[in-house]
């Protein structure tokens, strides 16, 4: 697989990167128990941007032979609240949906919303009778 040129913007900071892989993770383990984002939890309020540079290809292939070993995956992990990715002519996937190489430029945006879930509970009664 050839590296893809991606325009990656993390919390407003844009970088053009040649990458073999880019994953946005909310949990530490992806796919078949591959720990690519150590420490990621859904409640930490961040997106973990996991990237694999072309020069790490051989290290990744060796790591995949024993992903449960002591070494961490040879990926770069950055935390973000907002991520934008733009690309062209590169296949992609979202969850289990795979998309062929687009002819037109594509753009994807992901962000974390604080307080997306609000838990309501009844207020305490003050004074009056107990029921």
């Amino acid at each position: 697989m050839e590296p893809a040129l991606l325009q990656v913007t993390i919390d407003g900071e844009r970088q053009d990167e040649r990458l073999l892989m880019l994953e946005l993770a909310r949990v530490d383990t992806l796919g078949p128990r591959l720990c690519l984002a150590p420490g990621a939890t859904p409640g930490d309020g961040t997106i973990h941007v996991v990237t694999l540079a072309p020069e790490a290809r051989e290290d990744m292939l060796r790591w995949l032979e024993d992903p449960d070993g002591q070494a961490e995956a040879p990926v770069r992990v950055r935390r973000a609240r907002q991520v934008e990715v733009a690309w062209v002519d590169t296949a992609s996937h979202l969850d289990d949906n795979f998309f062929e190489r687009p002819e037109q430029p594509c753009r994807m945006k992901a962000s974390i919303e604080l307080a997306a879930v609000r838990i309501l509970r009844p207020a305490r009664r003050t004074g009056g009778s107990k029921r």
Side-chain angles (χ1 to χ4, degrees):
M1 171 176 166
E2 292 299 315
L5 179 60
L6 304 177
Q7 183 184 93
V8 182
T9 305
I10 297 176
D11 293 334
E13 185 178 322
R14 178 183 156 181
Q15 293 182 341
D16 292 346
E17 302 181 54
R18 293 194 83 63
L19 299 170
L20 291 173
M21 177 186 79
L22 179 134
E23 291 281 342
L24 303 183
R26 295 291 319 271
V27 294
D28 61 350
T29 304
L30 304 172
R33 297 182 341 187
L34 299 177
C35 186
L36 296 178
T41 61
D44 71 4
T46 61
I47 300 167
H48 291 69
V49 183
V50 180
T51 56
L52 179 65
E55 57 271 13
R57 178 192 309 260
E58 293 304 318
D59 292 338
M60 183 63 153
L61 290 172
R62 279 190 294 279
W63 181 82
L64 286 169
E65 290 176 12
D66 184 20
D68 295 325
Q70 297 299 315
E72 288 188 359
V75 295
R76 180 178 182 193
V77 181
R78 294 170 278 180
R79 292 179 181 219
R81 298 195 58 73
Q82 185 175 36
V83 180
E84 292 182 51
V85 181
W87 69 95
V88 67
D89 196 32
T90 299
S92 61
H93 75 91
L94 176 62
D95 293 328
D96 290 333
N97 300 309
F98 289 85
F99 304 96
E100 296 297 323
R101 295 174 179 266
E103 294 179 14
Q104 300 297 318
C106 293
R107 182 173 298 278
M108 180 275 309
K109 184 176 182 179
S111 61
I112 299 294
E113 291 185 32
L114 294 179
V117 175
R118 180 175 276 169
I119 307 296
L120 302 176
R121 64 177 175 86
R124 288 186 170 205
R125 292 182 182 235
T126 57
S129 64
K130 295 182 182 178
R131 289 190 191 183

